[in-house]
Amino acid sequence: MASTPQPFRLQIPDAAIVDLRERLTRTRFPDQAPAASWSYGTDVDWLRGLVAHWREGFDWRLHEARLNAFPQFKVALAGIDLHFIRAEGKGPAPMPLLLSHGWPGSVFEFLELIPRLTDPAQFGGDPADAFTVVAPSLPGYGLSFAPGQPRFSCEQIADSFTELMSSVLGFRRFAAQGGDWGSFITSRIGFAHPEKTIGIHLNMMPLRRDPKMVADPTPDERRYLDELAVWLREETGYQWIQGTRPQTLAFGLTDSPAGLAAWIGEKFRAWSDCEGVPERAIGRDDMLANISLYWFTGAIGSSFWPYYARMHGPWPIPNGRTVDVPTGYSAFPHEILRPPRSLAERAYTDIRRWSVMPRGGHFAAMEQPEALAHEIREFFRPLRTT
């Protein structure tokens, strides 16, 4: 018998906020390496400014209240207390939609996106396009973390989210959307639970990363393979340490808020459509709300586990198998990798919408919430009658 969700409200103790500010005051910064800014990782001057604002100007209570404005719950599921937002749709027949975030994200990514999906009329849209949105914190992330709890692979997260939507919340079928790990989880749901899946929408295309996957590539495929080779050589250091020695890294990032901000902040810059200045894509306070949630919950170490599971296990979609449910994809120009449709169609057999977006990057829900909401509505509209 499924557990009953219990209402939840976030309230970080005052003492934890004071402790954070005191730690930030004692930050020891390294020197700046003798090269161009950001050449070897997070720029020292940028991080000094971020830490100063975190200590003196950032209002955690304001962002805590933004999250608490949404109905939140916890439910005993798969051996943990799983946190999720459930925001009811305002329309004649809202479609249930599961939103899955990734790393280094959290449910804070979705605070501007959710209202555009639950109440499209408020933003000039059609109430018939409304969704009832369920946005869980991934197991091991933020409010779905407690010390000592079990760790989850993407496959296990997909199964637990499917149980949440079907057994706990009672949806016979549901839509699913995700980016980053959320795209793996969403794809796995479509593969492993097609009978419960109306369709899936992705804003990252999670294909196998093999530079030799095509013997005679087209020009578009060659462009992607060249980008992939650079990515594997220059941009995957974080994956190797998180996927092989996550516990060792967790000591530093759990003890040093500046270290945590440097580790996550570098990804906000590298993966967003920001022209080298993170704040052009994502507001400083929005970045810090996300980083603060990792800090206050102590969940950074457990958030690495999907990398370890992925590096030491099979690909979430088995060799020779495909995702066969209706699929939509929004290709944002500054996504970390942008495979061509010809390669995606090898893994996803029913791609019904493929949109090349004018702006935006990896954190699409934060960078371009209106554009992403539009794409989700457009993709799922024809599926509402199936």
Side-chain angles (χ1 to χ4, degrees):
M1 182 176 179
S3 298
T4 301
Q6 300 300 314
F8 173 81
R9 183 176 178 84
L10 179 59
Q11 181 73 33
I12 297 299
D14 290 339
I17 299 173
V18 171
D19 174 72
L20 170 60
R21 288 177 175 152
E22 290 176 347
R23 288 171 180 262
L24 291 169
T25 300
R26 296 192 300 271
T27 299
R28 291 175 56 189
F29 292 93
D31 73 324
Q32 179 68 51
S37 170
W38 295 96
S39 296
Y40 299 114
T42 304
D43 179 71
V44 175
D45 287 341
W46 179 83
L47 189 66
R48 284 185 184 277
L50 187 70
V51 166
H53 180 68
W54 200 3
R55 183 181 68 243
E56 300 167 3
F58 176 71
D59 184 352
W60 164 256
R61 293 297 184 204
L62 175 65
H63 294 273
E64 186 180 70
R66 289 182 65 217
L67 181 60
N68 285 333
F70 292 88
Q72 299 172 80
F73 302 87
K74 285 197 173 187
V75 65
L77 182 65
I80 69 169
D81 288 334
L82 184 72
H83 166 265
F84 63 97
I85 294 170
R86 176 174 176 165
E88 299 294 335
K90 298 180 180 179
M95 176 184 284
L97 173 65
L98 172 72
L99 285 182
S100 298
H101 66 81
W103 187 90
S106 71
V107 290
F108 271 113
E109 289 186 64
F110 298 139
L111 300 192
E112 292 295 326
L113 178 66
I114 290 173
R116 290 169 165 81
L117 298 173
T118 58
D119 190 8
Q122 180 184 350
F123 300 90
D126 187 341
D129 289 332
F131 296 89
T132 287
V133 172
V134 178
S137 295
L138 268 58
Y141 285 65
L143 301 171
S144 289
F145 170 70
Q149 74 178 32
R151 304 305 203 238
F152 286 68
S153 66
C154 280
E155 296 92 325
Q156 292 169 316
I157 295 173
D159 288 343
S160 66
F161 282 5
T162 300
E163 185 177 355
L164 171 68
M165 295 298 284
S166 57
S167 300
V168 176
L169 301 181
F171 298 117
R172 184 178 65 85
R173 298 174 73 230
F174 60 93
Q177 200 282 334
D180 194 86
W181 282 129
S183 70
F184 284 82
I185 294 161
T186 299
S187 298
R188 176 71 184 191
I189 289 172
F191 168 77
H193 305 281
E195 76 287 353
K196 297 179 180 179
T197 309
I198 296 169
I200 63 172
H201 184 275
L202 311 173
N203 56 276
M204 188 182 88
M205 182 56 67
L207 301 186
R208 294 173 185 269
R209 293 164 182 175
D210 179 4
K212 299 178 181 179
M213 68 178 69
V214 184
D216 186 20
T218 66
D220 203 26
E221 291 167 349
R222 170 49 56 197
R223 182 270 310 164
Y224 169 67
L225 293 175
D226 289 344
E227 289 180 356
L228 177 59
V230 173
W231 163 260
L232 292 173
R233 184 179 69 247
E234 298 290 341
E235 300 293 340
T236 55
Y238 79 99
Q239 291 185 358
W240 284 100
I241 187 65
Q242 292 180 181
T244 60
R245 296 295 184 270
Q247 189 69 54
T248 304
L249 178 61
F251 284 102
L253 303 190
T254 302
D255 189 60
S256 169
L260 180 66
W263 193 255
I264 294 178
E266 192 268 335
K267 298 311 175 196
F268 278 124
R269 177 185 183 272
W271 297 348
S272 65
D273 188 1
C274 69
E275 300 177 328
V277 181
E279 293 85 351
R280 290 179 181 171
I282 301 166
R284 181 179 280 185
D285 281 3
D286 289 332
M287 278 190 274
L288 287 173
N290 187 73
I291 294 167
S292 295
L293 188 63
Y294 278 90
W295 175 260
F296 288 131
T297 58
I300 189 64
S302 56
S303 78
F304 297 152
W305 185 256
Y307 290 92
Y308 190 91
R310 167 73 282 284
M311 198 164 286
H312 294 84
W315 195 256
I317 309 302
N319 257 332
R321 304 292 298 277
T322 55
V323 178
D324 302 322
V325 299
T327 301
Y329 172 57
S330 297
F332 287 88
H334 285 267
E335 181 54 89
I336 56 178
L337 289 170
R338 298 172 299 118
R341 183 166 182 162
S342 60
L343 295 183
E345 286 174 339
R346 297 181 176 192
Y348 298 81
T349 63
D350 192 10
I351 297 177
R352 301 192 185 185
R353 185 176 179 87
W354 183 284
S355 301
V356 177
M357 309 302 289
R359 295 183 58 192
H362 186 70
F363 303 97
M366 299 177 79
E367 298 178 58
Q368 298 290 329
E370 183 57 48
L372 181 58
H374 171 80
E375 285 298 307
I376 295 170
R377 291 193 299 261
E378 291 292 320
F379 169 68
F380 283 110
R381 186 178 299 129
L383 300 177
R384 289 178 179 269
T385 59
T386 61

